[in-house]
Amino acid sequence: MEAAHKKESGKPVFSDYDYSNFYYGSGDDPLNLLPPFNEWYREAKPNGYYLYNEPLETAPTTKVRVRDGKTQEVRDLVNLASYNYLGISYRPEVKQAAMDALQKYGLGASGSPILSGTFDVHVELAKAVAEFKDKEAAILFPTGYSANVGFISAIMRAGDHIFCDQYSHASIVDGAILAKSKTVFFRHNNPMDLERKLSGVRGKKLVVVEGVYSMDGDVCLLPEIVDVAKRHGARILIDEAHSTFLFGPNGRGVSEHFGLDDQVDFHLGTFSKSLGGQGGFVAGSKDLIDYLTGFGRSRFFSCNLAPALAAGLTTGVRIVMNEPQLRARLWSNVAFLRRRFAEEGIDIGKSTSQVMPVMVNNDAKVFAVAEKTQQGGLFLQPVTYPALPKHKSRLRISVSAAHSEEELEFAVGVIGRVLREEGICRA
Amino acid sequence: MPGLTQYGYRDAMSGFFEFPTENARRILPAHLEPVEVHHGTSVFALTAFDFDKSEVGAYGEVVMAVVVAPLVKPGQPFPKSAMYPYLVATTTKAARDHAIERWHLPHWMDDVDIAFDRQKDHVTVHVKADGAPVADLTIYQYEWHPVSHLHQSFMKDGDANYLAHITMEGQHSEHENEKGSVKLYEHPFNKVLSIADVYDVPFREQWMRDGRQTFQPLEQLETA
């Protein structure tokens, strides 16, 4: 208790606060939260928060050049942070397709997709996605965030019920808010709790899950979730942001992996993860896509994807369809890293995918661990409360098919050394 | 500092539980906004105090509260959190009379029984009113660190609204390991809660011990 008394009078200690403290605040002026936030942030940034928003000066390949947020020093690092799970975004043929489209169409779409912003390259991309997903049609959104917000708010209304996993992405939560439906959260990946929450609820019901959860890297218990949802007459949306192009015999996602493609009602994916691009999509029946074209507000009222991006993505989708060895290479890398982490006593939590959290489980140490790993030559970010429960902080790794075993072995060496130095894992 | 009121405690344990925002809004006065952990999900907080030093002697207290947005004013110390205690119960009449008179806190108007069952790594608090169980709260410990945290407590008494600035000092343990629990019983004490909708595992468990709770003088609020 003495230590608490020794603090400078009236001045809060920055480590007592975090982002969550600066969201809610009543008073007379919406700017009232800025001074306390900035007072906190001025101390928090040099103490670890500078590790966010560090600018890259090269393409997000497996090696990147990064400007240090604290020292401004430029360093070459092994990249474990970018998605790019299949290493597509910097493939020469992808860049060439994008450059050709840039030459032909210029910088942007210059309009909403329903007015002047749809080009032949967008139509081609939507067709490629539909073919890849084995659906009648697909619709494009400017981002994955926009896809969830636009889709959920397009089909659900006030008085309806949306049942979301408690670890749902913000875009799912924001979609539910925009839909004005009653939102019920079930415990993470827990079909029994979903059953309890669905029981007795009448009217329109939508269950929303993700193929792979982005903080833990665990895979949705889809067979059990589908069983519960079907028995209660609920429709199912699966957000395959981190699983499209990766899971299943054809890479269509976790729903294909479990043989449940036809049992899931709505399939959503993104281009920013596996393809390293930008944008989102929904694939389904032509009737569904026609409806979304009219009611997907986040798309309707946004400028369309840049034509160069659409052209590059189409090439990326074709690469995925023609090169299944890319997925094999990714899963081989995942298996290698899992084995090496296990041998080194490094905890990766519940991960069963290419998203691997290196568990630090210490909110006070996670920034020091991240700083040391960066100084050791790795580019990866800390994740901590409030993005996670308290004391569940971690470094989040994105494994890519493009990583070499030498790069992954280097990462294991650096992470293992730092975690041992910090007393996080056994010697 | 003149006008401060201090209470020494052996234990102050809190469980924070998800419950529907609709329920929170039914409890809160119009000028207070519930903090949501998810859209539509607010926070019910149950705290049990084992006070060993105060103007009215040693006593036990339970506080049923909703977590709300703090009041932020330029140039004033920034609070870590804010609560609206909608029901307080004590083990002695003297403690109850003191809190009603000084803090305008809404009370259960009879003495309650509060038993602290202390185990190696957790404590279970059993609360009874009129001889019948009201709540059983179990809180697990984590790592202990000394803290001094500023909180706000909002009170409503008739048409008058109040704000208390409270500093909690002591050894502090906090985690979100979902190990603790609460069992709320059907009892008039819990009549404002939809018990079935209160999640019975706390998403956060907070335990303070060997500390001091300091109230600054009560502030009366002007609200619309």
Side-chain angles (χ1 to χ4, degrees):
Chain A
M1 193 161 147
E2 278 308 304
H5 292 156
K6 285 175 185 168
K7 289 193 297 193
E8 191 180 333
S9 175
K11 184 168 170 53
V13 173
F14 92 89
S15 57
D16 282 345
Y17 293 83
D18 53 65
Y19 271 95
S20 72
N21 294 113
F22 303 98
Y23 184 77
Y24 282 102
S26 61
D28 299 326
D29 187 342
L31 297 181
N32 280 354
L33 281 168
L34 266 63
F37 171 78
N38 282 298
E39 185 182 10
W40 168 78
Y41 189 65
R42 274 196 294 275
E43 281 197 60
K45 191 172 179 183
N47 280 285
Y49 284 79
Y50 74 89
L51 291 163
Y52 303 113
N53 302 307
E54 290 184 307
L56 277 65
E57 299 187 358
T58 55
T61 66
T62 59
K63 288 195 174 73
V64 285
R65 181 161 293 169
V66 180
R67 185 171 293 277
D68 186 296
K70 187 152 74 175
T71 64
Q72 302 306 309
E73 179 189 347
V74 174
R75 280 205 292 256
D76 291 319
L77 305 172
V78 170
N79 184 9
L80 296 170
S82 300
Y83 301 129
N84 238 328
Y85 299 133
L86 296 175
I88 296 279
S89 76
Y90 41 83
R91 288 268 294 245
E93 58 271 54
V94 171
K95 291 197 288 187
Q96 189 60 53
M99 285 188 288
D100 292 347
L102 187 65
Q103 286 292 342
K104 183 173 178 182
Y105 303 103
L107 188 60
S110 303
S112 159
I114 63 131
L115 297 173
S116 61
T118 294
F119 293 71
D120 49 1
V121 285
H122 295 110
V123 176
E124 199 180 332
L125 175 58
K127 277 185 182 169
V129 170
E131 181 187 341
F132 170 73
K133 292 288 284 185
D134 195 26
K135 303 292 177 201
E136 282 182 3
I139 185 170
L140 310 178
F141 288 82
T143 63
Y145 177 92
S146 162
N148 267 321
V149 167
F151 175 79
I152 293 170
S153 62
I155 65 160
M156 300 302 283
R157 300 285 178 272
D160 300 341
H161 284 76
I162 301 174
F163 298 85
C164 306
D165 187 286
Q166 72 177 120
Y167 290 171
S168 290
H169 189 264
S171 55
I172 294 169
V173 178
D174 290 358
I177 292 171
L178 198 60
K180 302 186 183 74
S181 303
K182 181 172 171 57
T183 310
V184 179
F185 290 87
F186 60 93
R187 310 316 284 181
H188 176 54
N189 233 350
N190 187 331
M192 285 174 62
D193 193 46
L194 174 61
E195 174 109 51
R196 194 170 73 86
K197 301 275 167 61
L198 277 166
S199 294
V201 176
R202 294 177 180 277
K204 280 197 280 177
K205 297 180 282 288
L206 176 68
V207 172
V208 188
V209 293
E210 298 178 35
V212 167
Y213 288 89
S214 63
M215 287 298 165
D216 288 292
D218 53 338
V219 174
C220 176
L221 296 175
L222 194 62
E224 294 86 347
I225 298 278
V226 166
D227 175 57
V228 171
K230 294 284 180 195
R231 281 192 284 103
H232 289 273
R235 296 286 183 182
I236 304 161
L237 163 64
I238 186 164
D239 172 357
E240 301 243 31
H242 291 272
S243 45
T244 307
F245 304 114
L246 305 182
F247 281 76
N250 297 291
R252 290 181 191 134
V254 161
S255 55
E256 187 195 33
H257 168 78
F258 284 116
L260 293 167
D261 224 31
D262 295 335
Q263 298 295 307
V264 172
D265 299 286
F266 310 117
H267 299 263
L268 189 147
T270 68
F271 302 119
S272 53
K273 312 300 191 297
S274 303
L275 302 188
Q278 183 185 316
F281 66 84
V282 173
S285 67
K286 188 170 183 312
D287 288 350
L288 173 69
I289 301 308
D290 285 345
Y291 188 80
L292 294 176
T293 301
F295 295 97
R297 290 166 62 89
S298 63
R299 171 180 184 271
F300 197 106
F301 293 102
S302 294
C303 187
N304 208 350
L305 288 169
L309 193 55
L313 289 171
T314 304
T315 303
V317 173
R318 297 288 176 206
I319 289 173
V320 174
M321 293 170 80
N322 295 328
E323 297 184 22
Q325 64 271 27
L326 278 177
R327 292 195 294 281
R329 171 76 188 159
L330 172 68
W331 296 123
S332 169
N333 276 351
V334 169
F336 174 81
L337 200 53
R338 288 179 65 82
R339 178 175 62 78
R340 289 293 295 118
F341 277 154
E343 287 168 356
E344 295 294 317
I346 296 167
D347 179 8
I348 58 165
K350 300 172 191 166
S351 171
T352 53
S353 73
Q354 78 289 354
V355 178
M356 284 191 199
V358 171
M359 304 303 294
V360 175
N361 292 326
N362 187 320
D363 298 348
K365 285 187 175 178
V366 69
F367 287 109
V369 168
E371 193 167 47
K372 281 187 170 184
T373 54
Q374 183 158 316
Q375 287 163 355
L378 302 181
F379 183 55
L380 76 177
Q381 272 82 39
V383 189
T384 188
Y385 180 82
L388 296 165
K390 284 179 183 277
H391 311 306
K392 306 288 185 197
S393 40
R394 61 198 64 173
L395 310 176
R396 188 175 67 159
I397 288 177
S398 296
V399 184
S400 172
H403 281 122
S404 67
E405 280 200 0
E406 290 72 27
E407 288 166 337
L408 296 176
E409 186 60 43
F410 174 73
V412 172
V414 172
I415 291 168
R417 174 177 58 75
V418 171
L419 292 184
R420 284 190 291 274
E421 283 172 6
E422 293 291 327
I424 305 294
C425 78
R426 66 175 184 259
Chain B
M1 189 172 166
L4 297 181
T5 307
Q6 294 191 325
Y7 305 81
Y9 58 81
R10 181 179 173 192
D11 287 302
M13 29 233 333
S14 302
F16 296 88
F17 301 90
E18 296 173 26
F19 82 134
T21 294
E22 298 151 18
N23 197 164
R25 289 199 189 282
R26 284 201 303 272
I27 294 170
L28 293 175
H31 69 284
L32 296 178
E33 186 66 22
V35 163
E36 290 192 317
V37 283
H38 302 296
H39 168 54
T41 305
S42 293
V43 186
F44 160 67
L46 173 55
T47 302
F49 288 95
D50 182 7
F51 288 116
D52 54 7
K53 198 173 179 184
S54 82
E55 292 177 20
V56 287
Y59 63 99
E61 181 180 88
V62 289
V63 179
M64 318 286 269
V66 178
V67 179
V68 298
L71 178 61
V72 180
K73 289 185 177 177
Q76 290 200 0
F78 188 71
K80 255 186 89 69
S81 73
M83 304 267 181
Y84 176 72
Y86 66 85
L87 185 60
V88 178
T90 61
T91 55
T92 70
K93 182 175 186 303
R96 186 163 59 249
D97 291 346
H98 161 83
I100 292 171
E101 185 267 331
R102 191 166 301 182
W103 308 121
H104 298 271
L105 283 162
H107 273 71
W108 183 259
M109 292 309 292
D110 293 307
D111 292 355
V112 294
D113 297 317
I114 303 175
F116 290 79
D117 178 9
R118 293 177 169 87
Q119 302 297 322
K120 187 180 174 192
D121 63 346
H122 68 277
V123 171
T124 299
V125 184
H126 302 280
V127 184
K128 285 184 179 176
D130 302 328
V134 167
D136 301 322
L137 172 70
T138 298
I139 298 296
Y140 279 77
Q141 69 173 357
Y142 193 67
E143 295 167 357
W144 293 96
H145 299 285
V147 301
S148 173
H149 290 158
L150 176 66
H151 303 280
Q152 292 181 334
S153 179
F154 292 91
M155 279 75 81
K156 182 173 178 62
D157 190 355
D159 292 334
N161 294 295
Y162 300 94
L163 169 61
H165 299 275
I166 302 169
T167 302
M168 290 289 288
E169 296 165 289
Q171 292 293 325
H172 177 258
S173 153
E174 185 179 52
H175 65 88
E176 297 186 353
N177 293 336
E178 301 195 344
K179 292 179 76 175
S181 64
V182 71
K183 179 165 177 55
L184 296 164
Y185 295 86
E186 291 294 343
H187 188 288
F189 198 96
N190 293 323
K191 66 181 181 185
V192 301
L193 289 174
S194 302
I195 290 176
D197 292 330
V198 179
Y199 196 68
D200 55 4
V201 176
F203 73 89
R204 181 177 301 167
E205 296 166 53
Q206 181 177 274
W207 184 350
M208 292 194 70
R209 67 184 183 197
D210 303 329
R212 186 170 61 193
Q213 182 187 40
T214 303
F215 279 63
Q216 293 174 31
L218 204 58
E219 181 181 328
Q220 186 157 1
L221 299 175
E222 289 181 20
T223 55

